[in-house]
């Protein structure tokens, strides 16, 4: 990591453009890969090269490296140049970089104040937990081609994806009483890595759903049922389990009732992703517009709510947690005065509006709570009739019809253990 910053500084002395590919190639020449660094990942690149590319983000978070918006040029900052002087030892350099990166990530209050004017902020702790879990799908799955649940396995790779195309998308005549039953039939001849990938895609699909749509228990049951198809099931990471408690939005019926169509889109998206050169993958993770092109072009039903969910899960700093195109249009129309006027890019307009509102009020923009909701939403229950984002997880009241024996529905609604609820109601 230190060598990359050294090389970037050297290259900056000989010209205005420092291309990341040139820096990494020179770093590899000076420090040839050894042992596991030579292992080829699913994208055909050595593990060492892929790790080097993604580790540059830690340098950015430390404040030592700047990337242009498209990720095509690097600049060593004054702090970065100073770090090279202060930390000639690689271990000390890496430790300080990691410390600053962690500080940047964890100091939420300071970061939030700075980010009010630059990124879409999570609405609450539930949203933040979902985004923390979603980052694993980006870091391990999209970047590394590894399993999200078992990073030592290459599940997000051409082999398992091809098996899902064969056994899930191209399969015909699978008989079962539910989505999970059908999967049991369809994946009967698939490898454990393909079954693992399916469990992770199913999780990715329902991860942002509010507990009002799919409760924590049902989320766990669904992913555990798919993992049980494996000969040797793996555990679900704690960050993902914790995210099951809440959610980011209430998506309406389509995302809940059309799971096969949603998974179809995800498999084709992953197939397209793996066909991209590494440089284009980097661009898609740096540039939300490029990621949107990939998501929109993936084969499958139009399904705007599912595609919008995928946009949000990978680029939550830019895309708002709104999955209804109709609601997006209404919100833009209602708050147009906050920006200079509409463009032909709805998402870009919503991003600018959200930033303006965050700066005005000093908090995340809660479009599904008053006072903002009353400024654009035109009916008490109309959002329940469309494929839409609903109010984010209203508070449940224990005595709201709860003076009876606890059941699974009440447990899901309140996110509390049934036995504990029974004892409390008895008291």
């Amino acid at each position: 990591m230190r060598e990359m910053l050294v090389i970037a500084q050297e290259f900056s002395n000989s010209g205005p453009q420092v291309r990341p590919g040139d820096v990494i190639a020179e770093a590899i020449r000076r420090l040839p890969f050894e042992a596991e660094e030579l292992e080829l990942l699913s994208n055909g690149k050595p593990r060492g090269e892929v790790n080097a590319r993604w580790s540059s983000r830690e340098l950015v978070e430390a404040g030592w490296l700047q990337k242009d918006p498209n990720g095509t040029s690097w600049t060593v900052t004054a702090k970065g140049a100073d770090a090279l002087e202060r930390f000639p030892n690689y271990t000390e350099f890496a430790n300080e970089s990691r410390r600053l990166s962690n500080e940047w990530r964890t100091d939420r209050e300071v970061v939030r104040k700075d980010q009010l004017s630059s990124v879409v902020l999570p609405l609450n702790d539930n949203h933040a937990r979902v985004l923390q879990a979603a980052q694993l799908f980006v870091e391990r799955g999209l970047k590394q081609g590894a399993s999200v649940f078992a990073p030592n396995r290459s599940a997000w790779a051409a082999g398992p994806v091809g098996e899902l195309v064969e056994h899930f998308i191209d399969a015909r005549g699978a008989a079962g009483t539910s989505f999970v039953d059908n999967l049991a039939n369809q994946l009967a001849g698939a490898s454990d890595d393909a079954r693992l990938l399916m469990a992770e895609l199913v999780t990715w699909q329902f991860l942002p759903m509010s507990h009002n749509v799919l409760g924590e228990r049902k989320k766990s049951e669904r992913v555990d049922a798919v993992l049980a198809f494996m000969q040797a099931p793996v555990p679900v990471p704690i960050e993902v389990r914790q995210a099951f408690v809440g959610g980011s939005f209430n998506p309406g019926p389509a995302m809940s009732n059309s799971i096969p169509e949603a998974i179809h889109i995800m498999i084709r998206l992953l197939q397209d992703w793996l066909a991209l050169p590494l440089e284009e993958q980097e661009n898609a993770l740096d540039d939300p517009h490029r990621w949107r092109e990939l998501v929109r072009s993936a084969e499958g039903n139009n399904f705007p709510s599912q595609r919008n969910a995928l946009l949000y899960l990978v680029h939550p700093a830019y895309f708002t947690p709104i999955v209804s195109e109709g609601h997006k249009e209404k919100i833009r129309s209602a708050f147009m005065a906050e920006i200079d006027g509409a463009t032909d890019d709805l998402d870009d307009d919503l991003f600018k509006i959200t930033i303006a509102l965050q700066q005005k009020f000093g908090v995340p923009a809660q479009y599904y709570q008053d006072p903002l909701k009353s400024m654009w939403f035109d009916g008490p229950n109309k959002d329940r009739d469309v494929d839409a984002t609903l109010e984010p997880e209203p508070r449940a009241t224990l005595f709201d019809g709860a003076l009876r024996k606890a059941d699974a529905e009440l447990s899901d609604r309140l996110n509390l253990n049934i036995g504990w609820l029974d004892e409390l109601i008895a008291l």
Side-chain angles (χ1 to χ4, degrees):
M1 190 160 55
R2 185 181 186 280
E3 193 67 23
M4 284 202 302
L5 204 65
V6 169
I7 295 168
Q9 188 176 45
E10 291 175 356
F11 283 9
S12 67
N13 295 330
S14 58
Q17 287 286 328
V18 178
R19 296 186 298 182
D22 294 342
V23 173
I24 292 171
E26 178 62 15
I28 294 172
R29 189 189 69 78
R30 296 184 187 183
L31 300 171
F33 296 142
E34 298 179 354
E36 65 179 22
E37 293 177 329
L38 292 167
E39 177 190 354
L40 294 181
L41 298 180
S42 59
N43 56 20
K45 300 285 187 180
R47 181 181 297 277
E49 179 180 346
V50 174
N51 288 342
R53 285 180 177 273
W54 297 126
S55 67
S56 65
R57 292 200 172 192
E58 183 176 299
L59 295 175
V60 173
E61 293 167 0
W64 296 348
L65 183 71
Q66 263 187 345
K67 295 182 179 181
D68 76 331
N70 295 320
T72 57
S73 178
W74 289 357
T75 304
V76 178
T77 65
K79 290 182 179 179
D82 179 63
L84 290 174
E85 292 289 336
R86 290 192 298 125
F87 304 105
N89 177 273
Y90 174 83
T91 300
E92 292 178 355
F93 179 93
N95 288 340
E96 180 65 6
S97 172
R98 193 164 296 112
R99 184 189 71 79
L100 291 174
S101 174
N102 289 337
E103 184 179 274
W104 181 88
R105 294 185 182 199
T106 58
D107 192 356
R108 293 178 60 188
E109 293 305 315
V110 173
V111 170
R112 173 165 289 197
K113 289 179 181 178
D114 292 339
Q115 291 182 334
L116 282 169
S117 61
S118 59
V119 301
V120 175
L121 294 173
L123 303 184
N124 52 43
D125 287 343
N126 279 339
H127 287 225
R129 279 191 289 268
V130 168
L131 297 182
Q132 181 184 12
Q135 189 62 22
L136 293 180
F137 289 79
V138 174
E139 296 291 335
R140 296 177 180 175
L142 294 177
K143 289 184 180 180
Q144 297 285 339
S147 162
V148 179
F149 296 171
N152 60 319
R153 302 174 67 156
S154 296
W156 290 49
V161 172
E163 289 186 68
L164 293 189
V165 171
E166 176 187 354
H167 293 280
F168 181 78
I169 293 180
D170 295 340
R172 295 291 184 269
T177 58
S178 68
F179 170 71
V180 173
D181 285 342
N182 285 337
L183 274 186
N185 295 326
Q186 291 168 315
L187 300 183
S191 69
D192 255 20
D193 279 346
R195 295 169 182 173
L196 176 57
L197 174 59
M198 175 59 79
E200 293 174 358
L201 293 181
V202 167
T203 305
W204 208 24
Q205 195 265 338
F206 68 61
L207 183 65
M209 290 186 188
S210 165
H211 71 85
N212 295 320
V213 176
L214 197 66
E216 177 187 7
R217 179 177 59 83
K218 291 180 180 177
K219 290 177 180 178
S220 292
E221 287 176 352
R222 183 175 294 176
V223 68
D224 289 341
V226 181
L227 286 172
F229 299 156
M230 299 176 64
Q231 294 181 0
V234 302
V236 178
I238 185 61
E239 299 96 329
V240 177
R241 291 281 188 194
Q242 289 173 341
F244 288 173
V245 174
S248 295
F249 48 72
N250 203 333
M255 279 183 68
S256 302
N257 301 332
S258 303
I259 304 173
E261 290 80 1
I263 301 300
H264 179 121
I265 292 172
M266 289 180 165
I267 294 171
R268 290 302 192 190
L269 173 62
L270 187 49
Q271 194 174 36
D272 294 342
W273 173 261
L274 293 173
L276 292 176
L278 183 57
E279 292 77 8
E280 291 190 32
Q281 290 181 351
E282 286 183 309
N283 288 341
L285 295 184
D286 284 334
D287 182 1
H289 298 93
R290 176 60 182 131
W291 174 248
R292 184 175 62 186
E293 290 175 16
L294 288 173
V295 171
R296 288 182 174 177
S297 63
E299 177 195 286
N301 293 346
N302 184 30
F303 215 154
S305 58
Q306 182 57 59
R307 294 179 192 266
N308 282 330
L310 289 168
L311 299 183
Y312 170 70
L313 287 173
V314 173
H315 281 289
Y318 176 79
F319 294 106
T320 56
I322 304 169
V323 295
S324 165
E325 290 294 309
H327 282 196
K328 285 185 175 184
E329 292 281 3
K330 287 183 178 181
I331 291 170
R332 178 171 67 173
S333 297
F335 298 101
M336 189 63 66
E338 301 292 338
I339 58 176
D340 294 335
T343 68
D344 58 358
D345 191 322
L346 177 59
D347 291 314
D348 198 48
D349 290 344
L350 282 175
F351 171 75
K352 293 174 182 175
I353 288 171
T354 301
I355 295 302
L357 291 174
Q358 287 180 170
Q359 290 180 285
K360 177 182 288 189
F361 296 109
V363 294
Q366 298 268 14
Y367 291 115
Y368 291 92
Q369 291 183 1
D370 285 330
L372 298 185
K373 179 181 177 182
S374 61
M375 300 174 69
W376 70 271
F377 185 65
D378 57 5
N381 292 305
K382 288 185 180 180
D383 53 356
R384 296 186 182 276
D385 298 326
V386 297
D387 184 16
T389 307
L390 306 183
E391 292 184 60
E393 302 167 14
R395 292 180 181 175
T397 303
L398 178 61
F399 295 102
D400 181 14
L403 292 176
R404 51 182 169 75
K405 184 176 178 62
D407 57 18
E409 178 183 353
L410 181 64
S411 175
D412 272 350
R413 184 159 61 90
L414 299 183
N415 283 319
L416 294 172
N417 177 270
I418 290 179
W420 186 90
L421 277 174
D422 274 335
E423 292 180 10
L424 184 60
I425 290 171
L427 287 173

